[in-house]
Amino acid sequence: MSDKHLSTQFDSELSSVSTRVLEMGGLVESQVAQAIYALTNYSAETATQVLAMEERVNRLEVEIDADLSAIIARRQPTARDLRLLIAISKTIGNLERVGDEAARIARTVQRLINTGVFNRLRLPVSDVSFEADLATASLRKALDAFARLDTVQALDVIKQDNQIDQEFDGLMRKLITYMMEDPRTISASIDLVFVAKAIERVGDHAKNLAEQIIYIVKGTDVRHNSMETVESVALDQP
């Protein structure tokens, strides 16, 4: 079998795996959006749908991991191709954890509905929704950057993580104020703290995806580096 034919087969396998990663990404993005919809609209039915999607996300992670192992065993890739496969493995792990966060939010919504809190108390749900909009936008941009292997867009995702963190900090202060002013809100506010933290982690996972994209394209691991260093690598600056 010719080297050219082997190369064509390898490219086809890589393309197939990348497509499945994007499928998984779209699924977890939908999970997060539905979890927030369930929260803002007090929808137990939507929360249940989010939890039902978790099994599919987990199955995709296992299947893609198996495909990666098979490709590595058959092709013994080197250089950029190996970086791509390693980064994809880390990417699907991050995506699976995004799905876990969505499921965590959905279970919290179910608990709040079952206790009747939504009907009795005024809670800053809209603030949580705004934080979620930021996080899901970052996740969407990271997935788009993955599809294009676009390091400039990946850099934008990394920079936007600070805004999500700031929104989380502001929401924490607001929830503390709610609890101090009305002790009846303490239990529900604590639940919202966990929701807000779950959303903040979605932003963290989007950032992780963006860092993997830079690793794939540039061959440099930018994790735990200063923003100046990350920007230099992503933009090929000296």
Short mmCIF file of all heavy atoms in Angstrom, two decimals, residues 190-218:
data_model
loop_
_atom_site.label_atom_id
_atom_site.label_comp_id
_atom_site.label_asym_id
_atom_site.label_seq_id
_atom_site.Cartn_x
_atom_site.Cartn_y
_atom_site.Cartn_z
N ILE A 190 -27.33 29.17 48.45
CA ILE A 190 -26.21 28.24 48.41
C ILE A 190 -26.30 27.35 47.17
O ILE A 190 -25.29 27.06 46.50
CB ILE A 190 -26.15 27.39 49.70
CG1 ILE A 190 -25.73 28.29 50.88
CG2 ILE A 190 -25.17 26.23 49.54
CD1 ILE A 190 -25.79 27.61 52.22
N ASP A 191 -27.52 26.92 46.85
CA ASP A 191 -27.71 26.15 45.62
C ASP A 191 -27.28 26.96 44.40
O ASP A 191 -26.64 26.44 43.48
CB ASP A 191 -29.18 25.74 45.46
CG ASP A 191 -29.53 24.50 46.27
OD1 ASP A 191 -28.62 23.68 46.48
OD2 ASP A 191 -30.69 24.37 46.70
N LEU A 192 -27.62 28.25 44.39
CA LEU A 192 -27.24 29.10 43.26
C LEU A 192 -25.74 29.33 43.22
O LEU A 192 -25.16 29.53 42.15
CB LEU A 192 -27.98 30.43 43.32
CG LEU A 192 -29.46 30.41 42.94
CD1 LEU A 192 -30.02 31.82 42.90
CD2 LEU A 192 -29.68 29.73 41.59
N VAL A 193 -25.10 29.33 44.39
CA VAL A 193 -23.64 29.42 44.42
C VAL A 193 -23.03 28.24 43.64
O VAL A 193 -22.11 28.42 42.84
CB VAL A 193 -23.11 29.42 45.87
CG1 VAL A 193 -21.60 29.17 45.90
CG2 VAL A 193 -23.43 30.75 46.55
N PHE A 194 -23.57 27.05 43.88
CA PHE A 194 -23.06 25.88 43.18
C PHE A 194 -23.36 25.94 41.68
O PHE A 194 -22.55 25.50 40.85
CB PHE A 194 -23.63 24.60 43.79
CG PHE A 194 -23.04 24.27 45.13
CD1 PHE A 194 -23.83 24.26 46.28
CD2 PHE A 194 -21.69 23.98 45.26
CE1 PHE A 194 -23.28 23.97 47.52
CE2 PHE A 194 -21.13 23.68 46.50
CZ PHE A 194 -21.93 23.68 47.63
N VAL A 195 -24.51 26.51 41.33
CA VAL A 195 -24.84 26.69 39.91
C VAL A 195 -23.85 27.66 39.27
O VAL A 195 -23.32 27.41 38.18
CB VAL A 195 -26.28 27.21 39.75
CG1 VAL A 195 -26.52 27.67 38.30
CG2 VAL A 195 -27.29 26.13 40.13
N ALA A 196 -23.63 28.79 39.95
CA ALA A 196 -22.71 29.80 39.42
C ALA A 196 -21.30 29.23 39.27
O ALA A 196 -20.59 29.52 38.29
CB ALA A 196 -22.70 31.02 40.33
N LYS A 197 -20.89 28.41 40.23
CA LYS A 197 -19.57 27.79 40.15
C LYS A 197 -19.50 26.80 39.00
O LYS A 197 -18.47 26.71 38.31
CB LYS A 197 -19.24 27.08 41.47
CG LYS A 197 -17.81 26.55 41.54
CD LYS A 197 -16.79 27.67 41.39
CE LYS A 197 -15.37 27.15 41.41
NZ LYS A 197 -14.37 28.23 41.17
N ALA A 198 -20.58 26.07 38.77
CA ALA A 198 -20.63 25.14 37.64
C ALA A 198 -20.47 25.89 36.32
O ALA A 198 -19.75 25.45 35.42
CB ALA A 198 -21.94 24.36 37.66
N ILE A 199 -21.13 27.04 36.22
CA ILE A 199 -21.02 27.85 35.01
C ILE A 199 -19.60 28.39 34.84
O ILE A 199 -19.05 28.40 33.73
CB ILE A 199 -22.04 29.01 35.05
CG1 ILE A 199 -23.46 28.45 35.03
CG2 ILE A 199 -21.82 29.96 33.87
CD1 ILE A 199 -24.52 29.48 35.35
N GLU A 200 -19.01 28.82 35.96
CA GLU A 200 -17.64 29.33 35.91
C GLU A 200 -16.70 28.23 35.41
O GLU A 200 -15.76 28.49 34.65
CB GLU A 200 -17.24 29.82 37.30
CG GLU A 200 -15.92 30.59 37.34
CD GLU A 200 -14.76 29.73 37.78
OE1 GLU A 200 -15.00 28.62 38.33
OE2 GLU A 200 -13.60 30.15 37.57
N ARG A 201 -16.97 27.00 35.81
CA ARG A 201 -16.14 25.87 35.35
C ARG A 201 -16.33 25.61 33.86
O ARG A 201 -15.40 25.17 33.18
CB ARG A 201 -16.47 24.62 36.16
CG ARG A 201 -15.97 24.65 37.60
CD ARG A 201 -15.99 23.26 38.23
NE ARG A 201 -15.67 23.29 39.64
CZ ARG A 201 -16.54 23.09 40.62
NH1 ARG A 201 -17.81 22.84 40.32
NH2 ARG A 201 -16.16 23.12 41.87
N VAL A 202 -17.54 25.85 33.35
CA VAL A 202 -17.75 25.73 31.90
C VAL A 202 -16.81 26.68 31.17
O VAL A 202 -16.18 26.32 30.17
CB VAL A 202 -19.22 26.02 31.53
CG1 VAL A 202 -19.38 26.13 30.01
CG2 VAL A 202 -20.14 24.93 32.08
N GLY A 203 -16.70 27.90 31.69
CA GLY A 203 -15.75 28.86 31.11
C GLY A 203 -14.32 28.36 31.20
O GLY A 203 -13.53 28.52 30.26
N ASP A 204 -13.97 27.75 32.34
CA ASP A 204 -12.62 27.19 32.50
C ASP A 204 -12.35 26.10 31.46
O ASP A 204 -11.25 26.03 30.89
CB ASP A 204 -12.46 26.59 33.90
CG ASP A 204 -12.34 27.65 34.98
OD1 ASP A 204 -12.07 28.82 34.64
OD2 ASP A 204 -12.54 27.31 36.17
N HIS A 205 -13.34 25.25 31.22
CA HIS A 205 -13.15 24.18 30.24
C HIS A 205 -13.04 24.75 28.82
O HIS A 205 -12.27 24.22 28.00
CB HIS A 205 -14.29 23.17 30.33
CG HIS A 205 -14.27 22.36 31.59
ND1 HIS A 205 -13.16 21.66 32.02
CD2 HIS A 205 -15.22 22.13 32.55
CE1 HIS A 205 -13.42 21.05 33.16
NE2 HIS A 205 -14.67 21.33 33.50
N ALA A 206 -13.78 25.81 28.53
CA ALA A 206 -13.64 26.47 27.23
C ALA A 206 -12.22 27.01 27.07
O ALA A 206 -11.61 26.90 25.99
CB ALA A 206 -14.67 27.60 27.10
N LYS A 207 -11.70 27.58 28.13
CA LYS A 207 -10.31 28.06 28.11
C LYS A 207 -9.34 26.91 27.88
O LYS A 207 -8.38 27.03 27.10
CB LYS A 207 -10.00 28.77 29.44
CG LYS A 207 -8.57 29.26 29.55
CD LYS A 207 -8.31 29.85 30.93
CE LYS A 207 -6.85 30.27 31.10
NZ LYS A 207 -6.58 30.79 32.46
N ASN A 208 -9.58 25.79 28.55
CA ASN A 208 -8.72 24.61 28.35
C ASN A 208 -8.74 24.16 26.89
O ASN A 208 -7.69 23.78 26.33
CB ASN A 208 -9.17 23.46 29.25
CG ASN A 208 -8.96 23.75 30.72
OD1 ASN A 208 -8.23 24.66 31.09
ND2 ASN A 208 -9.61 22.97 31.58
N LEU A 209 -9.93 24.16 26.28
CA LEU A 209 -10.03 23.78 24.86
C LEU A 209 -9.19 24.72 24.01
O LEU A 209 -8.49 24.29 23.08
CB LEU A 209 -11.49 23.84 24.40
CG LEU A 209 -12.50 22.91 25.06
CD1 LEU A 209 -13.86 23.06 24.41
CD2 LEU A 209 -12.05 21.48 25.00
N ALA A 210 -9.27 26.01 24.31
CA ALA A 210 -8.53 27.01 23.53
C ALA A 210 -7.02 26.78 23.66
O ALA A 210 -6.27 26.91 22.68
CB ALA A 210 -8.90 28.41 24.01
N GLU A 211 -6.58 26.44 24.87
CA GLU A 211 -5.15 26.18 25.06
C GLU A 211 -4.70 24.95 24.27
O GLU A 211 -3.58 24.93 23.73
CB GLU A 211 -4.87 25.97 26.55
CG GLU A 211 -5.00 27.25 27.37
CD GLU A 211 -4.92 27.02 28.87
OE1 GLU A 211 -5.12 25.86 29.30
OE2 GLU A 211 -4.68 28.00 29.60
N GLN A 212 -5.57 23.95 24.15
CA GLN A 212 -5.23 22.77 23.36
C GLN A 212 -5.12 23.10 21.88
O GLN A 212 -4.30 22.53 21.16
CB GLN A 212 -6.27 21.67 23.58
CG GLN A 212 -6.24 21.04 24.96
CD GLN A 212 -4.89 20.47 25.31
OE1 GLN A 212 -4.23 19.84 24.49
NE2 GLN A 212 -4.45 20.70 26.54
N ILE A 213 -5.94 24.02 21.40
CA ILE A 213 -5.88 24.43 19.99
C ILE A 213 -4.53 25.06 19.69
O ILE A 213 -3.90 24.78 18.66
CB ILE A 213 -7.03 25.41 19.67
CG1 ILE A 213 -8.37 24.68 19.75
CG2 ILE A 213 -6.85 26.03 18.28
CD1 ILE A 213 -9.57 25.59 19.88
N ILE A 214 -4.07 25.93 20.59
CA ILE A 214 -2.76 26.55 20.40
C ILE A 214 -1.67 25.49 20.42
O ILE A 214 -0.71 25.54 19.63
CB ILE A 214 -2.52 27.63 21.48
CG1 ILE A 214 -3.52 28.77 21.30
CG2 ILE A 214 -1.09 28.15 21.42
CD1 ILE A 214 -3.48 29.81 22.41
N TYR A 215 -1.82 24.49 21.27
CA TYR A 215 -0.85 23.39 21.33
C TYR A 215 -0.82 22.61 20.01
O TYR A 215 0.25 22.26 19.49
CB TYR A 215 -1.19 22.47 22.49
CG TYR A 215 -0.34 21.22 22.56
CD1 TYR A 215 1.01 21.28 22.85
CD2 TYR A 215 -0.91 19.96 22.31
CE1 TYR A 215 1.79 20.13 22.91
CE2 TYR A 215 -0.14 18.81 22.36
CZ TYR A 215 1.21 18.90 22.66
OH TYR A 215 1.96 17.75 22.70
N ILE A 216 -2.00 22.33 19.46
CA ILE A 216 -2.07 21.59 18.20
C ILE A 216 -1.34 22.34 17.09
O ILE A 216 -0.54 21.78 16.34
CB ILE A 216 -3.54 21.37 17.78
CG1 ILE A 216 -4.24 20.39 18.74
CG2 ILE A 216 -3.62 20.82 16.35
CD1 ILE A 216 -5.75 20.35 18.56
N VAL A 217 -1.64 23.63 16.97
CA VAL A 217 -1.15 24.41 15.84
C VAL A 217 0.31 24.83 16.03
O VAL A 217 1.12 24.74 15.09
CB VAL A 217 -2.03 25.66 15.63
CG1 VAL A 217 -1.48 26.52 14.48
CG2 VAL A 217 -3.47 25.24 15.33
N LYS A 218 0.65 25.27 17.24
CA LYS A 218 1.99 25.84 17.46
C LYS A 218 2.98 24.86 18.08
O LYS A 218 4.18 25.10 18.08
CB LYS A 218 1.88 27.07 18.36
CG LYS A 218 0.94 28.14 17.81
CD LYS A 218 1.42 28.69 16.49
CE LYS A 218 0.53 29.81 15.99
NZ LYS A 218 0.99 30.35 14.70
#
